[in-house]
Amino acid sequence: MEAQVVNVSGNWNPSIPVITEAGSNYAGTYDNSGSTGTNQIILSGTLPGSFLNVLSGSGAKMTMRYTPNPWNNSLTLSAKRTGGTTTIHGVCLLCTATINGGTAYIPISQTADTTFLTFTFGGVLGLGNSVTFADINLILQLAGVSVTVPANTYSARIVFTIVAN
């Protein structure tokens, strides 16, 4: 069975203000909830019939982890989603596909996959089935920003994986 692809459009580059006078501090937590354009991150993809047949009603989950490049371990990343749609393609009797979970912030680990959301399927699969998911708006949260974290450019890549539930 081939790997399932998660398409990610956009990226987030938070704007952290410079401390300019004594007594000032960072807000500490930033997110991309008000972002538009390229700072808005949208997830989409297709789950082919061969994958759906292997799941046989157990559903699937999307996991996430991050890879630092470079990073400071005082900083933490979390993610949640808003929205998300599914569309069933092909011949399918009484079929449903839904996206569940991920609507509250979930901490992202750099050492283990963390479940972000799940897909559930119902119905009798026929021929040429697939399910597309789209319009999952990814909201990232960066926490731990402080004057104790050395000034630097930090970045991380979030890796999403879809596996059987």
Side-chain angles (χ1 to χ4, degrees):
M1 182 163 55
E2 295 180 11
Q4 308 313 303
V5 176
V6 178
N7 301 311
V8 180
S9 65
N11 64 47
W12 178 45
N13 295 309
S15 178
I16 312 292
V18 176
I19 295 177
T20 57
E21 60 185 70
S24 296
N25 198 349
Y26 295 103
T29 302
Y30 300 87
D31 68 38
N32 68 328
S33 61
S35 296
T36 58
T38 59
N39 280 330
Q40 185 178 25
I41 303 171
I42 305 294
L43 306 178
S44 63
T46 299
L47 305 176
S50 58
F51 183 70
L52 298 176
N53 285 328
V54 168
L55 297 177
S56 62
S58 65
K61 63 184 176 183
M62 182 185 294
T63 64
M64 59 186 173
R65 78 167 53 204
Y66 76 89
T67 304
N69 184 32
W71 196 251
N72 183 297
N73 288 332
S74 295
L75 301 172
T76 61
L77 283 173
S78 298
K80 70 177 184 177
R81 73 167 176 97
T82 60
T85 61
T86 58
T87 305
I88 299 169
H89 305 278
V91 176
C92 202
L93 182 60
L94 303 172
C95 288
T96 60
T98 58
I99 301 170
N100 309 289
T103 56
Y105 280 112
I106 300 167
I108 306 171
S109 172
Q110 63 174 307
T111 58
D113 288 340
T114 303
T115 299
F116 178 46
L117 55 83
T118 61
F119 300 98
T120 55
F121 312 102
V124 180
L125 294 173
L127 299 173
N129 290 113
S130 66
V131 172
T132 56
F133 59 92
D135 302 322
I136 299 174
N137 187 15
L138 179 69
I139 308 294
L140 294 174
Q141 182 183 69
L142 172 67
V145 177
S146 167
V147 295
T148 62
V149 175
N152 199 349
T153 299
Y154 299 103
S155 67
R157 176 180 303 267
I158 300 173
V159 177
F160 295 95
T161 307
I162 297 177
V163 296
N165 205 5

